[in-house]
Amino acid sequence: MEKFCGILFQGISGKIISGIMGVSLVWTAISFFIPLNIYVEIPTVLLGLLYFLKKKLYQEFYWFSKKDTLVIAFISAIILFTGAYYPYILDHFGYYVPTIKWLTEYGLIKGISNLDLTLGQMSVWHIFQAGFSNFSDPFLRINSILLIIYSIYSVERKNWIHLCFLPVLLLFAQSPSPDLPVIIFSLIILNEMISGNKNISLLFAFSAFVFTIKPTMIWLPLLVFLCNIFILKSNFKKLIFGSAILFLFFIKNIWTFGYPIFPVSIGDFGFSWKPNPEVLKTSSQYAILKTYDMQYSYEEIQKFSSWDHIKNWFFLKGIKSKINIFFIACLCIFSVFAWVKKKKLITLICISLLIKSIFVLAFSAQYRFFIDVFFVIFFVLFHEYLNKRKSIAVFSVLSLFFVSLLSFPGLIQQYIPSFQLGNFMVGFKKEQLYQPSVYEYHQFDTFKVGNLKFNVSKNYPYNFETPLPAISASFIFDDAKAGIFPQPINKNDVSKGFIWKTMTSEEKKEAAATINIIEKIHK
């Protein structure tokens, strides 16, 4: 990609990050036609090694001083150690792994959201992870590698404040969570913009790439776009590359979900494989329930007054109430800071974050959708004040804290019981010293409704190890309630995609029998 589009910044980290974006985009295009299996991975790895040797990129490491090399080695050791813990984020089992399985076995599937709505997302980050999951990274620890690259960037650019973020980000090292890359890439892009990088073409392209990983990062391409208008005042032709990336993202979503942006049913082009409206309505209702941490029923929330919506969100039981209050407080503090500073770039950052926050609060105000805002605000407020010595000290103290939490999850379970993810942390196992820890669960049942033969994990809600095609039990219940069920476009080839169909009386009996068996097993 460097040959065709240039490079956002110099150094080994700049080349690696450009490579990540380039490979991700190429694989996204390829996955429309073929699976991202070992026949895709091997040529990519060989070409990467050839480029590394031909351009003598290994010489870039000689520019690091002995002290900087020790810092990178120390940080990398901590990252690799924490990355070897068992995955504990629930989306790892219900979303990340199933998505990667489909990509490696079939590629992008038309209307896959009809089979399991969650799979309609198909994040570009999971496309990148899928391509390297056949033999390079079978344990799905690409996030750990990205953390090491981020630490190299911090040392290489002498922007030491990034080291302060690493300990918190260690919590995302065990899974291919898209939250980690969007936080890291957004901080890098922000750092480049504040440092005076005026390569608007690549800044917008990278910000668009971040958006394709997680659309809640809408503020980043918006920020670069506003900077182009009000600060750099560049020709709009420089936005073509980024616009092409966004176009590829919309096409990918239409192919898998039926609409340009998951999970919003805006931009209806009438494709036959779009999800059933009742299923989307159920999904929307669930998002509202998650906004209030499942502490109220949907009927109760519908009866809330405007004041009740705000008050009840602020005063949820448990730690999420504190996070929500802290979020609004941070936005207020940053708004005042931007007003006092009166710098165009900071003002535009503030406006972009406020627009993103309004969208999140309007659709589903879950903390996982605005967690990036905390990192951005901290970076802008303190990037001028944290030098190398202070940053390494902060990194060391916080790393000890977070490694302790991962090693002894009982601390979280005892002192922060409302933080539900703490209940899924296992702690340190000696086996992780030589191999990343992974779960295995191969129990499943096979059912048939209409022309669709599918598998369901036995007595477990997620299908991370279930042979394809697999459907989560919750979506089977939702489909049956709506009177529809997914069917293959070609009954002899699931790779051709899926649509939904209204069930016949015979199919309703088959679905009822399936649900009856699942409910008996879960009892």
Side-chain angles (χ1 to χ4, degrees), residues 34-85:
I34 59 174
L36 298 176
N37 52 30
I38 197 167
Y39 300 108
V40 172
E41 183 174 359
I42 288 177
T44 305
V45 172
L46 291 176
L47 285 172
L49 287 173
L50 181 64
Y51 178 79
F52 182 80
L53 296 172
K54 184 179 178 181
K55 297 294 183 179
K56 299 181 180 180
L57 296 185
Y58 50 84
Q59 293 180 350
E60 300 265 1
F61 291 101
Y62 298 151
W63 291 100
F64 293 107
S65 66
K66 287 185 178 179
K67 287 185 178 179
D68 287 346
T69 303
L70 287 174
V71 168
I72 293 173
F74 172 65
I75 294 172
S76 299
I78 293 176
I79 292 170
L80 293 175
F81 176 74
T82 53
Y85 282 82

Side-chain angles (χ1 to χ4, degrees), residues 237-451:
K237 289 182 179 179
K238 294 189 175 181
L239 304 181
I240 291 176
F241 183 29
S243 299
I245 293 173
L246 292 176
F247 180 74
L248 177 63
F249 167 75
F250 294 138
I251 295 299
K252 184 265 297 179
N253 275 5
I254 288 173
W255 186 253
T256 59
F257 176 57
Y259 296 96
I261 300 178
F262 182 94
V264 185
S265 56
I266 296 176
D268 187 355
F269 296 97
F271 292 108
S272 61
W273 60 87
K274 65 184 179 182
N276 180 272
E278 283 300 312
V279 173
L280 291 176
K281 182 180 177 181
T282 300
S283 173
S284 177
Q285 291 175 354
Y286 184 71
I288 293 172
L289 292 173
K290 291 293 287 183
T291 295
Y292 294 93
D293 197 32
M294 309 297 287
Q295 295 180 20
Y296 299 93
S297 68
Y298 182 74
E299 290 72 22
E300 289 175 320
I301 295 172
Q302 290 298 100
K303 295 177 182 177
F304 285 173
S305 64
S306 298
W307 170 244
D308 287 334
H309 278 287
I310 298 170
K311 180 191 68 175
N312 293 333
W313 184 73
F314 272 127
F315 297 105
L316 293 171
K317 297 175 184 176
I319 191 174
K320 290 182 181 177
S321 169
K322 283 74 175 176
I323 295 174
N324 294 342
I325 293 171
F326 185 57
F327 169 61
I328 299 300
C330 285
L331 287 177
C332 293
I333 292 170
F334 191 61
S335 299
V336 173
F337 175 80
W339 182 77
V340 171
K341 283 289 183 179
K342 289 184 170 58
K343 291 183 178 180
K344 279 188 178 180
L345 180 56
I346 294 177
T347 300
L348 293 179
I349 293 171
C350 183
I351 291 171
S352 301
L353 289 180
L354 288 174
I355 292 174
K356 174 249 175 70
S357 300
I358 290 170
F359 275 114
V360 169
L361 292 172
F363 285 98
S364 184
Q366 302 174 53
Y367 77 91
R368 63 195 183 100
F369 293 148
F370 55 72
I371 190 172
D372 56 295
V373 174
F374 298 123
F375 291 89
V376 172
I377 291 176
F378 184 89
F379 174 78
V380 176
L381 292 178
F382 299 106
H383 74 279
E384 294 179 344
Y385 304 104
L386 287 168
N387 57 24
K388 179 179 180 179
R389 185 176 179 181
K390 291 178 181 176
S391 297
I392 292 177
V394 171
F395 168 80
S396 301
V397 173
L398 290 181
S399 292
L400 180 62
F401 174 75
F402 284 104
V403 170
S404 298
L405 288 183
L406 287 169
S407 301
F408 308 103
L411 296 172
I412 299 178
Q413 296 162 11
Q414 181 177 353
Y415 295 106
I416 317 178
S418 59
F419 184 67
Q420 297 174 359
L421 287 180
N423 297 320
F424 301 99
M425 293 180 177
V426 174
F428 174 75
K429 301 292 182 182
K430 63 180 184 296
E431 291 79 11
Q432 73 186 61
L433 292 174
Y434 56 86
Q435 178 177 293
S437 302
V438 293
Y439 288 106
E440 292 185 1
Y441 190 85
H442 301 287
Q443 299 181 46
F444 64 93
D445 290 305
T446 302
F447 303 97
K448 187 175 183 292
V449 175
N451 290 324

Side-chain angles (χ1 to χ4, degrees), residues 110-325:
K110 181 166 66 176
I112 188 70
S113 59
N114 288 303
L115 188 73
D116 194 319
L117 187 63
T118 308
L119 298 177
Q121 300 175 71
M122 291 284 167
S123 170
V124 171
W125 190 246
H126 294 138
I127 292 174
F128 181 68
Q129 170 69 92
F132 285 114
S133 65
N134 299 284
F135 77 92
S136 302
D137 181 24
F139 301 107
L140 309 183
R141 292 315 200 268
I142 201 72
N143 278 9
S144 295
I145 304 302
L146 182 61
L147 280 171
I148 294 174
I149 296 167
Y150 185 44
S151 67
I152 293 174
Y153 170 83
S154 179
V155 174
E156 193 172 40
R157 303 289 283 175
K158 307 301 179 187
N159 296 121
W160 303 103
I161 187 174
H162 296 283
L163 300 184
C164 300
F165 301 125
L166 281 170
V168 184
L169 297 177
L170 292 174
L171 297 175
F172 298 98
Q174 305 78 27
S175 299
S177 168
D179 291 305
L180 181 79
V182 297
I183 290 171
I184 287 178
F185 292 145
S186 64
L187 291 173
I188 288 175
I189 293 170
L190 264 185
N191 188 69
E192 292 302 314
M193 294 177 71
I194 291 173
S195 300
N197 192 320
K198 296 181 180 180
N199 189 338
I200 195 67
S201 177
L202 283 180
L203 285 171
F204 187 67
F206 270 97
S207 65
F209 173 60
V210 172
F211 177 79
T212 67
I213 295 174
K214 192 165 186 177
T216 54
M217 299 299 291
I218 181 65
W219 69 269
L220 193 57
L222 176 62
L223 169 63
V224 179
F225 180 77
L226 292 175
C227 284
N228 184 57
I229 295 175
F230 296 106
I231 299 178
L232 299 178
K233 299 178 181 177
S234 301
N235 193 309
F236 279 97
K237 289 182 179 179
K238 294 189 175 181
L239 304 181
I240 291 176
F241 183 29
S243 299
I245 293 173
L246 292 176
F247 180 74
L248 177 63
F249 167 75
F250 294 138
I251 295 299
K252 184 265 297 179
N253 275 5
I254 288 173
W255 186 253
T256 59
F257 176 57
Y259 296 96
I261 300 178
F262 182 94
V264 185
S265 56
I266 296 176
D268 187 355
F269 296 97
F271 292 108
S272 61
W273 60 87
K274 65 184 179 182
N276 180 272
E278 283 300 312
V279 173
L280 291 176
K281 182 180 177 181
T282 300
S283 173
S284 177
Q285 291 175 354
Y286 184 71
I288 293 172
L289 292 173
K290 291 293 287 183
T291 295
Y292 294 93
D293 197 32
M294 309 297 287
Q295 295 180 20
Y296 299 93
S297 68
Y298 182 74
E299 290 72 22
E300 289 175 320
I301 295 172
Q302 290 298 100
K303 295 177 182 177
F304 285 173
S305 64
S306 298
W307 170 244
D308 287 334
H309 278 287
I310 298 170
K311 180 191 68 175
N312 293 333
W313 184 73
F314 272 127
F315 297 105
L316 293 171
K317 297 175 184 176
I319 191 174
K320 290 182 181 177
S321 169
K322 283 74 175 176
I323 295 174
N324 294 342
I325 293 171

